[in-house]
Amino acid sequence: MFKLMGNKKLIILMVALIAFIALFGLTLVKREKLTWPERFIKDTVSWTQGLFYKPAGIVAGFFEDVHNLRVVYEENKILKMTLSQYARDTMRLNDLEAQNKRFKEQLAFTERQKQSDNYTYRIAEVIAVSTDPIVKTMNINLGAKDGIKLNMAVVSVDGLIGRIMVVSDFTSTVQLLTDIDDTNNMSKGIAATVKGKESESFGLIERFVGETQLLAMTKIERPEEFNVGDTVVTSGLGQVFPPGLEIGTVVSNEVGEFGITYKAMIQPKASFRHLREVFVVDVPVPGR
């Protein structure tokens, strides 16, 4: 009996399956009007598909968004790298352009000097600048092995900036004009004169006035010796700086402290900031 009941269940299941297949087949037939069993099955299947379609769409959209986010992240990373490389290339280009400009100015300077004197100008690179606010010096990459000696004058393309005060084998220390005052010994001042009136004028640059960034010149005998706008150069009388090196321009002229001599304030030609290359002046020894 149980065997018969089992066979009946199997037969009923098979009949139901055949009926479902038949009804499903009928739904595939293109007809404008469906029977109510077809409509029922179609609606049931569509509703069931809807239950699975929406979550599946949400999951698929989530993974698609994750993929798009990763693509955007990678593109953003590449753009950042490209922008960083562009910034580095721009900085390098600007540095090369500035370097090229400095080299052109230095070449023009040396060409001008060939026409005015027979000095040798040895170009040197500034490798360090003193941070001491009292002692104003800088180091260059030329030393005794390069023929550098104490008290050699040092200039930029614009004018005199100082002298060699310490020499080692491969480097030297330059004392800047901004370090000259009444208490130190830059040969007790710089003997100077007016360019074009070398035999008619004389003065002594003794100190640098930090408040005004000007050089103070004293020991002037007559006020007409130094007029506003005159170019001041080294006279060579101090036996340290050779004659003819440009120092600055006269910006004022007045009576000295004791009313006997006069003094003038000089605007330095050279800038003492951001120096990259300088020239050490080598003066030939007569008879050699």
Side-chain angles (χ1 to χ4, degrees):
M1 184 174 179
F2 289 105
K3 186 177 180 180
L4 181 62
M5 290 294 293
N7 291 335
K8 285 183 178 181
K9 289 181 180 181
L10 181 61
I11 292 172
I12 294 172
L13 180 61
M14 291 180 63
V15 170
L17 180 62
I18 292 171
F20 177 77
I21 293 172
L23 291 173
F24 184 74
L26 292 175
T27 60
L28 297 178
V29 180
K30 295 182 178 180
R31 290 181 290 109
E32 295 182 356
K33 190 174 182 180
L34 301 176
T35 62
W36 73 266
E38 291 173 338
R39 293 197 300 272
F40 174 77
I41 293 175
K42 181 175 178 61
D43 291 340
T44 302
V45 172
S46 297
W47 181 80
T48 304
Q49 288 176 337
L51 292 178
F52 289 97
Y53 178 77
K54 288 182 179 180
I58 294 173
V59 173
F62 171 76
F63 284 105
E64 184 177 0
D65 291 341
V66 171
H67 173 72
N68 292 337
L69 183 62
R70 183 172 183 82
V71 171
V72 170
Y73 172 78
E74 293 296 333
E75 290 178 348
N76 187 50
K77 184 178 179 180
I78 294 173
L79 287 174
K80 284 184 176 180
M81 292 176 62
T82 303
L83 183 60
S84 177
Q85 182 64 42
Y86 175 77
R88 288 195 297 269
D89 291 343
T90 301
M91 291 178 61
R92 177 168 175 79
L93 177 61
N94 292 338
D95 185 63
L96 289 175
E97 288 179 347
Q99 188 180 61
N100 185 52
K101 181 181 178 182
R102 294 198 311 273
F103 288 162
K104 285 182 177 179
E105 292 174 346
Q106 292 158 7
L107 178 60
F109 168 78
T110 54
E111 290 298 324
R112 289 197 309 269
Q113 297 309 118
K114 287 180 182 179
Q115 307 300 323
S116 61
D117 55 50
N118 62 342
Y119 305 153
T120 299
Y121 292 83
R122 300 187 179 183
I123 189 168
E125 182 180 352
V126 177
I127 56 177
V129 177
S130 172
T131 57
D132 191 329
I134 299 177
V135 180
K136 301 173 180 65
T137 61
M138 67 182 185
N139 293 335
I140 58 175
N141 65 343
L142 295 183
K145 297 292 186 181
D146 306 292
I148 305 303
K149 300 180 178 63
L150 288 176
N151 290 324
M152 277 185 167
V154 182
V155 300
S156 70
V157 295
D158 298 313
L160 183 67
I161 63 171
R163 69 176 180 103
I164 300 293
M165 66 178 297
V166 177
V167 179
S168 60
D169 286 343
F170 301 103
T171 63
S172 299
T173 300
V174 179
Q175 180 187 20
L176 301 177
L177 290 185
T178 54
D179 192 40
I180 185 174
D181 58 38
D182 296 327
T183 60
N184 71 26
N185 181 20
M186 189 180 280
S187 187
K188 299 184 185 301
I190 303 172
T193 184
V194 173
K195 187 175 184 179
K197 297 190 298 183
E198 287 82 358
S199 61
E200 304 171 12
S201 57
F202 174 79
L204 194 65
I205 296 176
E206 293 186 330
R207 63 191 178 91
F208 177 79
V209 184
E211 294 80 4
T212 60
Q213 298 292 297
L214 299 176
L215 294 165
M217 177 186 287
T218 62
K219 306 295 190 296
I220 302 172
E221 293 184 358
R222 300 183 306 275
E224 63 271 15
E225 292 182 15
F226 292 86
N227 298 314
V228 174
D230 284 345
T231 298
V232 178
V233 297
T234 54
S235 68
L237 298 178
Q239 298 181 350
V240 173
F241 297 96
L245 302 179
E246 292 192 357
I247 300 173
T249 304
V250 178
V251 295
S252 68
N253 189 355
E254 59 188 35
V255 178
E257 294 180 0
F258 302 104
I260 300 175
T261 58
Y262 295 84
K263 70 176 182 178
M265 301 305 293
I266 313 300
Q267 176 68 58
K269 287 269 189 180
S271 172
F272 302 98
R273 296 181 179 180
H274 310 299
L275 291 170
R276 302 286 292 275
E277 294 92 16
V278 296
F279 296 91
V280 180
V281 183
D282 189 357
V283 180
V285 178
R288 290 188 182 181

